[in-house]
């Protein structure tokens, strides 16, 4: 039971307290690039959840059961990026075959995920920190759901911002970044959420 | 090659000013926000980034006739990842402080859009020397941009300007600019990174807007003057 609880806590902590975008700075490019419309940000977020969870599930065994026994642990970055790139292709093909409607809405975002640092960042930091499989999975799930949460929230705010009367120099990206800053301050308030629970 | 003089210089400078990867194209924002807590870390990041960019650009340019169109992107990614691994191991061996400060962001140079973007957009179409200069310019532009961000964040956030913590071969020194107790520590936090980046982009947008405004005003004045001249000419003609 305690394993289960710590698994859930790890998911929530990497989702909210250590949010990918707002405190670890992974995936800022899609965060700024694909957040103009709520619908497209939702598509991007779901595609990222897909790929991150799958990449975590594949990369962890790959590192611990293939690269380390073979004595080529230093090849981790190359191996991960190949796994991620082919995974993105594969997921794309799979979705295209079994759910054309989902493919229609996710299709254009899938290639973009290869260069989303969140995916490689999660895989890399899992093995860099020496997490076990369950912890890695919790990190992957929490991070990707945190990304989905933030990008959708942010796009909702951004659609409102479009019509807001901002100073001319701040139009577009600068005001979006200020918004992100305010969101980051809000998320700072969640720090220490579990300080009483995790001993 | 019969190229005009100054083309090389322009090729280098475009990466710093007109096509600055961070401030104009808004690429590679993740490390720019994450590694700018101190100027030293920013310099280190910029240096590693430039090395990877230059090496991969040169190699891609050398191999541009061998790599077929269909497998272009995977091939480039493997080239970039290889150089990142080399740089990572060298940093770990010779600058361990830098390695631990930047952490996972050294590996994340692989997915930095600028490196892949330059390989795709420039090195795959141009000669080795041009690609080398292009990469050097882009790297310098990126380094300067993140140094600018780090300068604001370090001075406002810690109140001082310190050097020698990461590059341990330099004697340590610290310059207190804002008196102790008056520093604004939020600039060291993620939120501060967003604010600094937003402000820099806004200042650039302001300067650009101002330039286009001045241009349109000038054009309008020119137009009015021409009209008046034409009127005066017509009036003279009428008098005759």
């Amino acid at each position: 039971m305690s394993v289960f609880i710590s698994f859930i806590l790890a998911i929530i902590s990497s989702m909210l307290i250590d949010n990918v975008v707002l405190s670890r700075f992974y995936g800022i490019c899609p965060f700024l690039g694909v957040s103009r419309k709520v619908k497209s940000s939702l598509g991007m977020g779901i595609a990222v959840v897909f790929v991150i969870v799958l990449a975590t599930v594949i990369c962890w065994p790959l590192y611990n059961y293939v690269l380390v026994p073979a004595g080529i642990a230093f090849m981790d970055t190359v191996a991960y990026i190949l796994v991620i790139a082919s995974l993105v292709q594969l997921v794309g093909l799979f979705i295209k075959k079994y759910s054309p409607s989902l493919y229609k809405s996710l299709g254009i975002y899938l290639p973009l995920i290869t260069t989303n640092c969140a995916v490689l960042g999660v895989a890399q930091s899992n093995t860099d920190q020496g997490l076990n499989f369950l912890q890695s999975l919790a990190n992957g799930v929490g991070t990707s759901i945190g990304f989905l949460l933030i990008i959708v929230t942010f796009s909702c705010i951004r659609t409102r911002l479009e019509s807001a009367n901002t100073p001319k120099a701040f139009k577009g990206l600068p005001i979006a970044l200020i918004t992100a800053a305010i969101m980051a301050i809000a998320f700072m308030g969640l720090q220490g959420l579990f300080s009483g629970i995790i001993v | 090659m019969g190229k005009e003089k100054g083309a090389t210089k322009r090729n280098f400078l475009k990466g710093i000013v007109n096509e600055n990867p961070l401030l104009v194209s808004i690429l590679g924002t993740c490390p720019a926000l994450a590694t700018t807590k101190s100027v030293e870390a920013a310099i280190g990041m910029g240096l590693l980034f430039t090395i990877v960019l230059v090496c991969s650009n040169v190699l891609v340019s050398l191999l541009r006739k061998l790599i077929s169109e269909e497998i272009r992107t995977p091939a480039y990614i493997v080239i970039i990842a290889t150089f990142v691994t080399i740089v990572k191991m060298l940093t770990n061996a010779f600058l361990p402080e830098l390695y631990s400060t930047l952490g996972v962001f050294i590996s994340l140079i692989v997915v930095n859009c600028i490196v892949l973007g330059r390989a795709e957009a420039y090195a795959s179409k141009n000669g080795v020397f041009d690609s080398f200069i292009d990469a050097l310019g882009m790297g310098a532009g990126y380094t300067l941009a993140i140094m600018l961000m780090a300068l604001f964040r370090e001075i406002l956030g810690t109140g001082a300007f310190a050097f020698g913590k990461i590059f341990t071969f330099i004697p340590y020194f610290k310059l207190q600019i804002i008196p102790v107790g008056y520093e604004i520590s939020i600039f060291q936090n993620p939120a501060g990174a967003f604010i600094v980046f937003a402000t820099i982009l806004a200042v650039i947008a302001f300067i650009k807007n101002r330039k286009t405004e001045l241009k349109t005003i000038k054009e309008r004045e020119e137009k009015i003057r021409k009209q008046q001249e034409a009127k005066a000419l017509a009036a003279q003609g009428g008098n005759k």
Side-chain angles (χ1 to χ4, degrees):
Chain A
M1 194 63 193
S2 70
V3 174
F4 181 70
I5 289 176
S6 65
F7 181 69
I8 298 292
L9 283 185
I11 288 181
I12 296 175
S13 116
S14 58
M15 191 168 104
L16 294 177
I17 301 170
D18 230 2
N19 187 279
V20 246
V21 179
L22 297 178
S23 83
R24 278 186 282 172
F25 297 120
Y26 299 161
I28 304 274
C29 296
F31 175 67
L32 295 175
V34 203
S35 59
R36 289 245 168 74
K37 282 187 198 133
V38 180
K39 211 179 159 194
S40 56
S41 71
L42 196 65
M44 182 72 185
I46 292 171
V48 166
V49 172
F50 254 1
V51 176
I52 288 189
V53 173
L54 275 175
T56 319
V57 170
I58 294 173
C59 285
W60 194 86
L62 179 74
Y63 181 80
N64 285 289
Y65 297 125
V66 179
L67 294 181
V68 173
I72 47 168
F74 61 86
M75 289 291 280
D76 52 356
T77 311
V78 182
Y80 295 160
I81 193 76
L82 283 177
V83 165
I84 291 164
S86 39
L87 199 65
V88 167
Q89 291 274 329
L90 216 71
V91 168
L93 287 176
F94 189 79
I95 297 177
K96 198 176 180 181
K97 178 110 198 280
Y98 290 102
S99 171
S101 59
L102 185 64
Y103 182 75
K104 232 181 188 174
S105 52
L106 292 188
I108 39 170
Y109 306 113
L110 280 169
L112 286 178
I113 297 174
T114 316
T115 52
N116 183 340
C117 5
V119 187
L120 185 65
V122 168
Q124 186 81 44
S125 63
N126 278 344
T127 47
D128 279 359
Q129 293 168 9
L131 300 180
N132 65 30
F133 184 70
L134 216 56
Q135 286 168 326
S136 305
L137 191 63
N139 190 15
V141 172
T143 304
S144 51
I145 294 178
F147 182 80
L148 174 68
L149 184 78
I150 285 299
I151 197 169
V152 171
T153 322
F154 187 60
S155 67
C156 293
I157 301 176
R158 253 187 114 168
T159 41
R160 292 290 294 272
L161 273 179
E162 296 275 298
S163 53
N165 190 11
T166 43
K168 208 177 163 194
F170 274 93
K171 275 236 154 71
L173 212 48
I175 192 69
L177 282 164
I178 297 276
T179 313
I182 295 169
M183 283 171 81
I185 294 174
F187 269 73
M188 269 164 64
L190 292 171
Q191 259 163 18
L193 188 64
F194 291 146
S195 54
I197 305 171
I198 298 172
V199 185
Chain B
M1 273 188 275
K3 240 194 297 174
E4 53 184 314
K5 219 178 149 192
T8 310
K9 195 177 154 200
R10 224 174 308 133
N11 190 7
F12 178 71
L13 284 178
K14 78 166 194 290
I16 298 180
V17 187
N18 282 340
E19 290 178 30
N20 191 302
L22 179 64
L23 300 178
V24 180
S25 319
I26 327 279
L27 293 173
T29 40
C30 310
L33 294 170
T35 61
T36 51
K37 262 191 182 174
S38 70
V39 176
E40 238 184 334
I43 292 174
M45 183 69 210
L47 210 64
L48 300 185
F49 171 79
T50 310
I51 295 169
V52 171
L53 184 58
V54 168
C55 292
S56 59
N57 239 14
V58 166
L59 193 64
V60 164
S61 171
L62 273 172
L63 297 176
R64 69 184 189 278
K65 282 175 189 135
L66 288 174
I67 298 173
S68 66
E69 191 75 9
E70 293 83 31
I71 57 148
R72 212 175 59 226
T73 313
Y76 294 164
I77 288 185
V78 173
I79 291 173
I80 296 164
T82 311
F83 282 117
V84 168
T85 308
I86 296 171
V87 164
K88 196 167 104 179
M89 291 169 87
L90 287 175
T91 320
N92 197 2
F94 294 108
L95 291 165
E97 282 85 5
L98 183 65
Y99 184 78
S100 59
T101 310
L102 297 181
V104 77
F105 282 94
I106 301 179
S107 307
L108 289 185
I109 298 176
V110 180
V111 283
N112 193 316
C113 332
I114 304 168
V115 187
L116 193 62
R118 287 333 282 175
E120 190 97 24
Y122 199 91
S124 62
K125 294 181 192 117
N126 289 284
V128 176
F129 181 69
D130 281 342
S131 303
F132 175 73
I133 296 295
D134 174 75
L136 218 56
M138 286 291 163
Y142 189 72
T143 310
L144 287 175
I146 59 175
M147 269 171 69
L148 182 72
M149 274 187 66
L151 196 70
F152 284 117
R153 282 189 72 191
E154 188 175 3
I155 292 176
L156 290 173
T158 63
F161 181 72
F163 221 88
K165 247 188 213 158
I166 293 169
F167 298 111
T168 37
F169 50 86
I170 303 171
Y172 181 77
F173 75 89
K174 195 174 172 189
L175 191 66
Q176 196 74 31
I177 295 170
I178 301 173
V180 182
Y182 287 91
E183 68 270 2
I184 314 160
S185 63
I186 191 137
F187 281 102
Q188 284 282 295
N189 287 329
F194 284 114
I195 293 175
V196 169
F197 192 37
T199 316
I200 292 176
L201 288 183
V203 168
I204 290 173
F206 179 76
I207 294 170
K208 262 188 193 160
N209 287 347
R210 186 104 192 121
K211 256 186 192 165
T212 45
E213 247 170 49
L214 284 179
K215 213 175 165 191
T216 45
I217 288 173
K218 230 179 209 171
E219 270 169 10
R220 207 183 298 146
E221 277 174 355
E222 191 88 343
K223 215 175 169 186
I224 292 170
R225 218 185 50 225
K226 265 187 190 157
Q227 273 175 355
Q228 278 173 348
E229 272 174 14
K231 242 186 212 167
L233 221 69
Q236 270 181 6
N239 281 345
K240 269 180 192 174

